[in-house]
Amino acid sequence: MTATFPQELKQPLVLGIESSCDETGVGIVRGTTLLTNTVSSSMDEHVRFGGVIPEIASRAHLDAFVPTLQESLHEAGVTLEDIDAIAVTSGPGLAGALMVGVCAAKALALATGKPLYAINHLVAHVGVGLLDGKPDAGAAAGLGAGQLPENLGALLVSGGHTEILRIRSITDDVELLGSTIDDAAGEAYDKVARILGLGYPGGPAIDKLARQGNPKSIRFPRGLTQPKYMGTAGDKGPHRYDWSFSGLKTAVARCVEQFEARGEEVPVADIAAAFQEAVVDVISSKAVLACKENGITDVLLGGGVAANSRLRELTWQRCTSAGITLHVPPLDLCTDNGAMVAALGSQLIMAGIGPSGLAFAPDSSMPVTSVSLPAQA
């Protein structure tokens, strides 16, 4: 039997669980007020492999979940009995990692009799912008608690996703405008960092080193920007709002090989700066183009790569020039976390949308158009 709750509940106390990759996140939200956001990361266990190993991530979630849950409840000053509903990431993400979080959430829901919501991880990155709190230092204003602008978009940039979305309704109307067709931006950073001998994770290392280099020293390709892919505003090409980073990664590898073949010292800082400029240039330009051509006047920047200083700077500059307002949540809410899942769960409850029940299965390729999963018949 699916647990329910009174429709008059306007400020639900929601427990959110996130386990789509290498962060075990548990967050608690009351309405649009963030009470706690507790995250346990297994990143250190993946460093020697140069990337996330799904089996290691899944086992780390198993070890971390109960302590993370206990810490979250303690910090919020609530008990499981106080919780009105549970929300969990059901996709997209690593299949095994998702399974751990979903099984944990189902066990809690069954034991406590609380309603359970299966949440889309990507849409949750947008939902976090609705929480009370100050925006990140140096960023544009937050979205405002409980209220979304009418013409809102979201630029999500992480290790697994690079996407531009149009948000007509956070609870039931999300449209995918463009995405990467191969590597996500974060994956490209990790692979190029490995080529340059910078270690894992690649994003922070390249961002730091790039400040010492000349981004104009080398012109790396901007994928999918040729006319045959872009088309025109009236006759859009097949990849007008899409990205590709695999060719850029290969170009960096060939560049390094050429320096080594000539017996010259590899200008690592210059290559890092030029690579980063290629990534953020094409991400920001295509995102702003998609916003302008689809009537989007506000855009939220989320995902782990939102921490990149050059991406934030150039996106802000181009949005400002185009008359688009950029919103960036605090950095700890940009990366994967349970608070964003709880925030979206709270929005669903306040919109009167029913829970998912216990019969759903995690979906590693869950489409962004599915904000949450309906209860199974």
Side-chain angles (χ1 to χ4, degrees), residues 302-313:
V305 185
N308 182 274
S309 62
R310 182 56 179 154
L311 176 63
R312 293 153 68 87
E313 177 187 32

Side-chain angles (χ1 to χ4, degrees), residues 56-78:
I56 292 177
S58 300
R59 291 179 180 275
H61 287 308
L62 283 170
D63 292 338
F65 178 72
V66 171
T68 306
L69 173 64
Q70 291 173 333
E71 182 180 348
S72 185
L73 291 169
H74 176 73
E75 289 183 355
V78 300

Side-chain angles (χ1 to χ4, degrees), residues 190-203:
D190 289 338
K191 291 176 180 178
V192 167
R194 190 180 306 126
I195 293 170
L196 298 178
L198 300 179
Y200 175 84

